[in-house]
Amino acid sequence: MVVGPDTLNEVKEEHFDEVEAVLLTAFPTDAEARLVRQLRADGDMLFEFRKSWDGKIGGYYALSRMQAPEGWACLAPMAVRPEWQGGKLAENNPNMEVGGTEDQLYRGPWRFGTRMLQELAQCYEMPTEAIDGKLPETIVVLGKPSFYGRYGFSLQRAQKLSSPYPLEYTLILRRGDDVPVAELIYPQAFPGGSG
């Protein structure tokens, strides 16, 4: 029995409208929805993933191809249906006693963003031969270090990068413990992000 959101699945064309609806409700403007449409149109989208529950997409993230360094990707956007953010889905589950022992045990598994990032980070912990050629060498994310840092993304390892965005919000996920030196050039769809 699955506790919390279902497994992570790839987004297909039949999911595009529902993904757009999630993006439009999860953010204050339509900028992220426009970004996703432009990444698809430009051919820069590597992968799109969705996490569902009860037949609805509850969480989404995109990995797009960085212009440089080659083989790197950018995690953006990432969205969770607002009414299910922060484990609220667990609170609204009639099978869960909120405030009880079950709530303490299972609330975490109902957090869409947490589960998506945990699953992504676990891929980079697998033996190299198991994922060789299936994942980008490095994934870059712009966001809160206190959040993304819990899931394998490193602020410290990104500090020798040059970027059009602030390094205090730039984190990377990759194998090893090196501190790469590289210039980040984002896909053209990112505002002010391409070189």
Side-chain angles (χ1 to χ4, degrees):
M1 179 180 128
V2 174
V3 175
D6 295 337
T7 57
L8 201 59
N9 293 295
E10 203 167 342
V11 170
K12 297 186 173 143
E13 192 170 348
E14 67 252 26
H15 305 118
F16 286 2
D17 290 342
E18 189 178 359
V19 163
E20 180 147 334
V22 169
L23 292 169
L24 291 171
T25 60
F27 294 100
T29 71
D30 70 342
E32 285 76 10
R34 284 185 288 111
L35 173 64
V36 166
R37 285 194 306 268
Q38 193 61 53
L39 287 166
R40 289 175 186 152
D42 292 347
D44 287 330
M45 192 67 81
L46 286 174
F47 303 107
E48 294 180 77
F49 293 100
R50 62 188 165 86
K51 186 168 276 295
S52 301
W53 182 254
D54 199 23
K56 293 182 190 175
I57 295 175
Y60 165 86
Y61 72 84
L63 292 176
S64 57
R65 183 178 299 106
M66 297 286 288
Q67 290 185 26
E70 187 175 335
W72 287 32
C74 177
L75 170 64
M78 180 174 164
V80 174
R81 187 179 290 272
E83 65 270 25
W84 292 349
Q85 289 177 4
K88 289 179 192 166
L89 183 60
E91 293 171 0
N92 298 327
N93 185 342
N95 300 320
M96 182 169 295
E97 180 185 328
V98 177
T101 306
E102 267 191 49
D103 182 37
Q104 295 167 5
L105 291 174
Y106 294 120
R107 187 173 168 126
W110 291 83
R111 293 177 182 269
F112 280 83
T114 295
R115 285 178 72 137
M116 291 187 298
L117 289 173
Q118 284 173 337
E119 291 172 23
L120 182 59
Q122 286 170 357
C123 291
Y124 283 86
E125 294 168 6
M126 297 171 83
T128 307
E129 58 276 1
I131 60 160
D132 199 28
K134 296 177 186 164
L135 287 175
E137 176 187 333
T138 303
I139 298 176
V140 179
V141 69
L142 292 168
K144 282 184 167 180
S146 60
F147 177 68
Y148 289 99
R150 293 186 297 215
Y151 308 105
F153 285 86
S154 173
L155 178 68
Q156 292 75 25
R157 293 179 70 194
Q159 293 310 295
K160 289 189 179 176
L161 300 173
S162 93
S163 174
Y165 298 112
L167 286 181
E168 62 263 27
Y169 298 107
T170 303
L171 296 89
I172 59 172
L173 175 66
R174 65 188 269 138
R175 292 181 177 282
D177 58 4
D178 63 323
V179 179
V181 177
E183 179 184 6
L184 297 179
I185 303 176
Y186 286 79
Q188 287 189 346
F190 280 79
S194 61

